[in-house]
């Protein structure tokens, strides 16, 4: 083993690797940060160029894009309330309010530190525990996936804002949207209305752009007074992340990164689920005075540590079983194959030195990402200085281009615009948008695995309590909902007490 | 007679060479790939594109137009004037399974010329002997007498689902599918003991077989499969079930494109396949090229179509 590691280090320590890793991270951050563009597009575009490179620099560059894009997604989520990737959808819940309160730099720095912590923990898990983790992951069958999806859907209770019923309706809409297309069990088409472009379903990214970016543009156009006087508070002296704040949120980051690494290692899941579950967990552990949903630092740290925690871990099922966790990982799968690494159970024994060079490179990439992010964020934060009218116009154009780029189809632009209007109307009626994303991400996993589980059991629902992992997730779901309900009641009581005290103190 | 054949072959080769020498495409080439970037067919199309660029000095674009079982890429191909430079990658399911399960997609083999085959693979039924004790088809039949058979496959309308359904149907075994969107997931479900067996291609199962976790017990081809060390996989035909299905991918163009130009492109691909650059790229991509000519590919599709129609009418249409 030590010989393999030494050989890997020898292959890794070259100027070429250093250069291409950094190029990859830089491109990834830029693509992740621009709404509509994403890491998958960047990898697809650059894949042919990597044919001219050696295996190690080529794959370091492509994995660098993967890591960079995942972090980059948080930049637009924080600054313009539009997640660059679906994994960053949970980041905007607290990230954008922080930005509105004049703390964009602090929010971005938090995202960067959390992403680095998450990425490092994940890359270390990938480096040291891949065989062990893949043994647990192999135990995940349809019932476990269903229980995990159910657990993820319980997060709706946490992100519904004022009304749980409205949150559930939004979540239901998301699940309903995820049923459009060819049914994964029966093979029949559903809600396609004869349109072949809907056979593969409604594109998640188009809905995201509509729900967040376009809806917000409509708000700005409908309320021009907000556009004239910027809705943002000017960033001030305390718009810097302090060492004390990092220390305060470090445990949240580590815990979220571990959640991310675990979820990421489960084949076919990915960062979006991880970030919502980690956000939920951070909110559950909230201390008095921490206001999640209103610009809480830990509300940015948790999802960012989790979605970056899932990135390198997503490579575990990819490398050992050939199963990608998300779309970007699926493209990476092709990249690995093209460069001569045949993924599967024998990859480590067949291609040890090259593979370990890439895995160690993945750990080092996280540090490069931190340093690049530190400088790039200073530039990105200037977006908040752009006049809102100009920013709105620019974003509409970028979003339309981004939506078209998803599937090279104007259909996705139409979907984006329709969901922009729907989300605007929903906002007016106080329906939270985040559960739509949750429903769309988790709906298909929940539905297909529920049906597959019942096929496995011959129709018996007992299968969900007979399997230990599955039972643990189901119990966890109920415990979590109960704790959240209890926490909410406590918070409501504290608020009412505070309001009562205030009114008593106020002279008539 | 032999002389005549030799003369004809030489003439054909000379004509092909002449066609290649004469053909100079007036514009850049475009290969639409109805599969995601990074997938096997996408990779293979990109390698071929590299060869065409070198042969004709024109840029060859790879355009990933996914969705609707290839109909979106086909619609894009149909939207341009027929020309050999306008191509798309395709798969056997487009002309065998899709017309049966999603007739509204409306793809017809007759509307296309096949430029070249890309790959061709056998499909196998795998079991997990360590968990079920099943080591061959007879063992599976015996196991089915007192166990439910749950198999891993893609969704109805996919090749592996149809092959398993027809095989178990013909054998009179009650079986149900746990579906997924990829054969790698089906084999993982089998390795984890969540299904009793699964249908997947030889390449997807190779590492599991080498490692000893999974065992192929039936191959849906005309010849027994001997590619795995120490294992001879019997054909479904030898077990009494007439199931032969080789999945294949290919590059095609409009039926109205100039056949001489299509032939020139095919010859350029064949010539490129002899180079070291091609061999290295193919080996790196774990690709065993099967660059069959159009007629051979079409014959394979026609043969598979008969099986699919039988399977659909017998087991799905009711």
């Amino acid at each position: 083993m030590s010989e393999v590691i030494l050989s890997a280090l020898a292959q890794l320590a070259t100027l070429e690797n250093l250069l291409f890793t950094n190029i990859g991270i830089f491109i990834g951050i830029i693509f992740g940060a621009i709404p509509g563009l994403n890491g998958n597009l960047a990898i697809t575009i650059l894949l042919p160029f990597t044919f001219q490179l050696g295996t190690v620099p080529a794959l370091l560059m492509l994995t660098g894009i993967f890591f960079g894009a995942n972090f980059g997604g948080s930049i637009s989520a924080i600054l313009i309330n539009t997640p660059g990737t679906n994994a960053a959808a949970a980041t905007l819940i607290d990230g954008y309010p922080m930005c509105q309160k004049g703390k964009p730099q602090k929010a971005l720095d938090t995202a960067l530190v959390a992403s680095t912590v998450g990425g490092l923990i994940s890359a270390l898990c990938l480096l040291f525990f891949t065989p062990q983790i893949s043994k647990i992951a192999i135990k995940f069958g349809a019932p476990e996936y269903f229980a995990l999806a159910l657990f993820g859907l319980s997060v709706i209770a946490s992100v519904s804002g004022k009304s749980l019923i409205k949150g559930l309706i939004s979540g239901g809409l998301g699940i309903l949207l995820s049923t459009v297309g060819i049914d994964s069990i029966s093979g029949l088409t559903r809600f396609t209305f004869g349109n072949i472009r809907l056979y593969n379903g409604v594109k998640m990214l188009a809905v995201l752009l509509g729900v967040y970016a376009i809806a917000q543009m409509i708000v700005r156009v409908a309320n021009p007074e907000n556009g004239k006087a910027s809705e943002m508070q000017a960033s001030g002296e305390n718009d810097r992340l302090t060492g004390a704040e990092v220390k305060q949120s470090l445990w949240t980051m580590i815990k979220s990164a571990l959640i991310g690494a675990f979820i990421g290692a489960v084949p076919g899941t990915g960062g979006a689920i991880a970030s919502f579950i980690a956000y939920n967990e951070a909110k559950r552990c909230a201390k008095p005075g921490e206001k999640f949903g209103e610009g809480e630092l830990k509300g940015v740290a948790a999802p960012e540590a989790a979605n970056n925690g899932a990135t390198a871990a997503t490579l575990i099922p990819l490398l050992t079983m050939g199963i990608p966790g998300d779309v970007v990982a699926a493209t990476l799968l092709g990249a690995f194959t093209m460069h001569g690494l045949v993924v599967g159970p024998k990859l480590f024994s067949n291609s040890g030195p090259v593979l370990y060079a890439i895995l160690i490179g993945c750990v080092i990439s996280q540090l490069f990402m931190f340093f690049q992010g530190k400088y790039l964020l200073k530039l990105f934060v200037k977006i908040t200085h752009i006049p809102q009218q100009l920013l709105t116009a620019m974003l509409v154009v970028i979003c339309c281009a981004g939506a078209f780029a998803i599937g090279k189809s104007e259909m996705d632009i139409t979907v984006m615009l329709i969901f922009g209007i729907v989300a605007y109307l929903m906002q007016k009626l106080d329906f939270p948008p985040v559960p739509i994303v949750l429903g769309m991400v988790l709906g298909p996993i929940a539905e297909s695995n529920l049906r597959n589980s019942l096929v496995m059991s011959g129709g018996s629902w007992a299968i969900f309590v007979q399997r230990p992992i599955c039972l643990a997730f189901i119990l966890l779901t109920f415990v979590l909902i109960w704790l959240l309900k209890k926490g909410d009641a406590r918070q409501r009581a504290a608020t009412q007490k505070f309001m009562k005290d205030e009114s008593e103190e106020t002279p008539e | 007679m032999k002389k005549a054949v030799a003369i004809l072959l030489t003439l054909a080769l000379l004509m092909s060479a002449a066609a290649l020498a004469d053909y100079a495409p007036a514009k850049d080439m475009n290969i639409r790939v109805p599969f995601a970037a990074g997938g096997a067919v996408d990779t293979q199309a990109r390698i071929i594109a590299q060869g065409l660029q070198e042969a004709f000095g024109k840029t060859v674009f790879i355009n990933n137009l996914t969705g609707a079982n290839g109909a979106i890429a086909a619609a894009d191909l149909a939207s341009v004037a027929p020309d050999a430079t306008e191509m798309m990658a395709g798969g056997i399911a487009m002309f065998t399974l899709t017309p049966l399960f999603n007739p509204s997609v409306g793809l017809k083999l007759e509307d296309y010329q096949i430029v070249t085959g890309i790959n061709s693979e056998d499909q196998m039924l795998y079991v997990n002997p360590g968990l079920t004790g099943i080591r061959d088809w007879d063992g599976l039949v015996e196991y089915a007498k007192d166990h439910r058979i749950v198999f891993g496959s893609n969704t109805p309308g996919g090749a592996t689902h149809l092959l398993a359904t027809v095989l178990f149907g013909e054998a009179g075994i009650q079986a149900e599918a746990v579906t997924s969107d990829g054969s790698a997931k089906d084999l993982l479900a089998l390795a984890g003991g969540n299904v009793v067996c699964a249908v997947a291609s030889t390449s997807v199962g190779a590492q599991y077989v080498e490692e000893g976790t999974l065992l192929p017990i039936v191959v849906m081809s005309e010849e027994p499969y001997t590619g795995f060390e120490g294992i001879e996989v019997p054909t479904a035909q030898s077990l009494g079930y007439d199931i032969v299905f080789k999945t294949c991918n290919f590059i095609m163009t409009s039926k109205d494109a100039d056949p001489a130009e299509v032939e020139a492109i095919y010859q350029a691909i064949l010539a490129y396949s002899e180079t070291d650059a091609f061999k290295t790229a193919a080996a790196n991509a774990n690709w065993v090229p099967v660059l069959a000519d159009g007629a051979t590919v079409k014959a394979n599709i026609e043969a598979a179509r008969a099986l699919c129609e039988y399977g659909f009418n017998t087991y799905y249409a009711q």
Side-chain angles (χ1 to χ4, degrees):
Chain A
M1 181 68 184
S2 57
E3 276 176 29
V4 174
I5 299 286
L6 282 175
S7 165
L9 284 171
Q11 291 195 44
L12 182 65
T14 69
L15 194 65
E16 191 188 19
N17 290 341
L18 182 81
L19 182 70
F20 283 104
T21 305
N22 277 291
I23 290 175
I25 291 168
F26 177 77
I27 293 170
I29 293 176
I30 303 292
F31 270 70
I34 298 172
L37 303 188
N38 52 56
N40 193 39
L41 187 64
I43 292 174
T44 308
I45 291 170
L46 287 173
L47 199 55
F49 295 102
T50 65
F51 291 154
Q52 317 303 326
L53 299 175
T55 305
V56 177
L59 291 173
L60 282 177
M61 182 166 100
L62 297 174
T63 49
I65 295 175
F66 183 36
F67 300 140
N70 221 36
F71 162 64
S74 68
I75 297 172
S76 53
I78 290 168
L79 295 179
I80 52 174
N81 200 25
T82 302
T85 59
N86 57 4
T91 308
L92 60 77
I93 304 173
D94 279 278
Y96 188 61
M98 274 183 86
C99 183
Q100 283 178 308
K101 287 178 179 174
K103 296 175 188 170
Q105 187 69 51
K106 183 181 280 197
L108 289 172
D109 286 345
T110 307
L112 177 63
V113 173
S115 297
T116 309
V117 170
L120 270 176
I121 289 176
S122 184
L124 288 169
C125 286
L126 174 67
L127 182 60
F128 293 114
F129 304 117
T130 292
Q132 293 85 343
I133 294 174
S134 64
K135 272 183 196 149
I136 300 173
I138 208 171
K139 292 192 192 308
F140 265 70
E144 285 77 16
Y145 279 110
F146 170 70
L148 177 66
L150 194 68
F151 180 57
L153 284 169
S154 72
V155 176
I156 289 177
S158 170
V159 294
S160 290
K162 293 170 200 159
S163 164
L164 180 61
I165 294 291
K166 287 181 177 175
L168 287 172
I169 292 172
S170 290
L173 177 67
I175 294 173
L176 190 65
L177 282 173
S178 72
T179 60
V180 174
I182 295 176
D183 173 24
S184 64
I185 307 291
S186 68
L188 301 172
T189 52
R190 300 189 293 195
F191 308 119
T192 57
F193 306 104
N195 187 334
I196 58 167
R197 290 202 178 268
L198 286 175
Y199 274 26
N200 283 38
V202 177
K203 301 273 181 1
M204 174 81 193
L205 205 53
V207 176
L208 268 183
L209 288 172
V211 167
Y212 289 103
I214 299 299
Q216 206 186 346
M217 307 303 142
I218 299 172
V219 171
R220 284 183 190 158
V221 173
N223 306 294
E225 63 278 11
N226 285 356
K228 283 173 195 153
S230 168
E231 62 194 52
M232 307 265 181
Q233 287 177 24
S235 67
E237 283 279 307
N238 65 357
D239 188 19
R240 286 279 179 276
L241 184 68
T242 63
E245 284 168 330
V246 173
K247 212 172 153 187
Q248 269 173 18
S249 52
L250 191 61
W251 174 237
T252 303
M253 290 182 198
I254 293 171
K255 195 163 60 168
S256 304
L258 289 172
I259 291 172
F262 175 73
I263 306 269
V266 176
T269 52
I273 304 173
S275 60
F276 278 109
I277 289 177
Y279 180 84
N280 202 29
E281 174 58 16
K283 189 177 175 186
R284 189 188 65 78
C285 298
K287 290 180 182 149
E290 290 177 352
K291 291 180 178 169
F292 278 79
E294 296 174 29
E296 171 55 43
L297 197 100
K298 285 182 186 172
V300 175
E304 275 308 298
N307 68 36
N308 282 274
T311 47
T314 302
L315 298 180
I316 295 174
L318 181 82
L319 298 177
T320 57
M321 298 163 226
I323 298 174
D326 54 24
V327 186
V328 195
T331 312
L332 272 180
L333 171 68
F336 272 85
T337 312
M338 277 178 177
H339 284 279
L341 295 179
V342 183
V343 297
K346 295 193 82 181
L347 175 64
F348 279 81
S349 52
N350 289 347
S351 316
V354 174
L355 192 63
Y356 274 105
I358 295 162
L359 298 189
I360 297 168
C362 287
V363 178
I364 299 169
S365 293
Q366 310 301 326
L367 301 174
F368 289 142
M369 186 177 83
F370 178 78
F371 292 116
Q372 282 202 30
K374 235 177 132 40
Y375 288 98
L376 284 173
L377 290 183
K378 285 178 189 158
L379 298 175
F380 276 117
V381 83
K382 294 193 192 303
I383 290 174
T384 54
H385 300 172
I386 299 173
Q388 293 293 310
Q389 298 93 324
L390 196 59
L391 188 64
T392 306
M394 274 166 54
L395 280 175
V396 171
V397 175
I398 291 172
C399 287
C400 286
F404 184 78
I406 300 167
K408 291 168 195 141
S409 153
E410 61 280 6
M411 168 94 184
D412 293 322
I413 301 178
T414 313
V415 168
M416 178 188 77
L417 295 173
I418 289 172
F419 280 96
I421 296 165
V422 169
Y424 170 72
L425 295 174
M426 286 176 77
Q427 272 180 34
K428 285 233 153 212
L429 298 169
D430 263 346
F431 281 89
V434 177
I436 300 177
V437 182
L438 268 170
M440 279 195 81
V441 172
L442 295 167
I445 301 176
E447 192 208 349
S448 60
N449 286 295
L450 171 66
R451 291 163 70 187
N452 271 334
S453 302
L454 293 174
V455 170
M456 283 168 68
S457 68
S460 166
W461 290 79
I463 193 169
F464 297 109
V465 291
Q466 285 167 342
R467 298 167 62 117
I469 300 175
C470 185
L471 181 63
F473 271 118
I474 288 175
L475 289 176
L476 212 56
T477 306
F478 286 113
V479 170
L480 204 77
I481 292 173
W482 178 69
L483 285 173
L484 278 168
K485 225 172 148 50
K486 206 173 129 190
D488 269 0
R490 205 172 47 207
Q491 206 168 7
R492 244 194 320 270
T495 312
Q496 275 167 3
K497 186 172 178 294
F498 176 76
M499 298 294 283
K500 202 177 156 195
D501 292 349
E502 283 279 290
S503 61
E504 276 170 11
E505 278 169 25
T506 312
E508 290 293 317
Chain B
M1 181 66 186
K2 274 184 185 172
K3 258 188 181 176
V5 172
I7 290 166
L8 279 173
L9 275 175
T10 314
L11 271 174
L13 276 173
L14 283 173
M15 279 166 69
S16 304
L20 179 56
D22 287 348
Y23 180 52
K27 61 186 188 69
D28 291 335
M29 296 183 168
N30 190 351
I31 303 177
R32 295 151 188 85
V33 177
F35 309 103
V41 178
D42 174 73
T43 308
Q44 293 158 13
R46 285 173 197 274
I47 294 171
I48 287 174
Q50 186 67 31
L52 292 177
Q53 279 189 176
E54 286 174 21
F56 297 113
K58 294 284 178 190
T59 303
V60 183
F61 296 101
I62 296 292
N63 200 358
N64 297 93
L65 293 170
T66 59
N69 298 320
I72 289 169
D76 190 69
L77 178 64
S79 71
V80 295
D83 191 295
T85 58
E86 298 290 346
M87 293 172 270
M88 84 174 254
I92 191 167
M94 280 177 193
F95 301 115
T96 52
L97 294 158
T98 306
L100 298 167
F101 288 85
N102 291 303
S104 58
V105 169
L107 294 176
K108 287 185 192 141
L109 184 59
E110 297 71 33
D111 293 338
Y112 301 95
Q113 288 182 71
I114 306 290
V115 180
T116 178
I118 307 177
N119 59 44
S120 179
E121 262 206 300
D122 289 322
Q123 296 292 316
M124 295 183 166
L125 181 70
Y126 294 87
V127 291
N128 186 337
L131 293 178
T132 56
I134 302 167
R135 300 201 68 84
D136 53 27
W137 175 251
D138 289 340
L140 181 65
V141 173
E142 200 58 34
Y143 185 88
K145 287 178 182 163
D146 41 20
H147 294 86
R148 281 180 69 239
I149 298 295
V150 177
F151 63 87
S153 78
N154 48 20
T155 51
T160 59
H161 192 279
L162 180 117
L163 292 174
T165 303
V166 174
L167 179 64
F168 288 122
E170 298 294 289
I173 295 173
Q174 282 286 333
E176 280 188 89
V178 166
T179 60
S180 82
D181 56 2
S183 290
K185 287 185 184 171
D186 300 330
L187 293 188
L188 180 65
L190 180 58
N194 293 309
V195 292
V196 177
C197 52
V199 177
S201 65
T202 45
S203 65
V204 179
Q207 289 199 18
Y208 284 104
V209 176
E210 282 169 30
E211 218 213 0
T213 315
L214 304 183
L215 184 69
I217 57 167
V218 181
V219 60
M220 324 287 177
S221 65
E222 285 172 333
E223 300 293 328
Y225 187 80
T226 52
F228 297 128
E229 204 181 322
I231 304 170
E232 182 175 306
V233 187
T235 63
Q237 280 183 327
S238 73
L239 299 168
Y241 314 112
D242 192 14
I243 304 170
V244 177
F245 189 99
K246 256 182 172 338
T247 51
C248 68
N249 291 101
F250 39 83
I251 291 178
M252 59 193 194
T253 184
S254 164
K255 72 173 183 349
D256 298 322
D258 183 345
E261 293 179 3
V262 174
E263 178 63 21
I265 292 174
Y266 177 55
Q267 291 303 325
I269 295 168
L270 284 184
Y272 181 60
S273 71
E274 296 300 321
T275 65
D276 289 341
F278 175 87
K279 286 173 185 165
T280 309
N284 279 345
N286 197 30
W287 171 28
V288 181
V290 181
L291 303 174
D293 59 52
T296 309
V297 174
K298 277 202 169 181
N300 181 31
I301 297 171
E302 294 289 0
R305 198 191 259 179
L307 171 72
C308 293
E309 278 170 7
Y310 169 75
F312 179 79
N313 292 329
T314 313
Y315 299 104
Y316 294 88
Q318 291 86 10

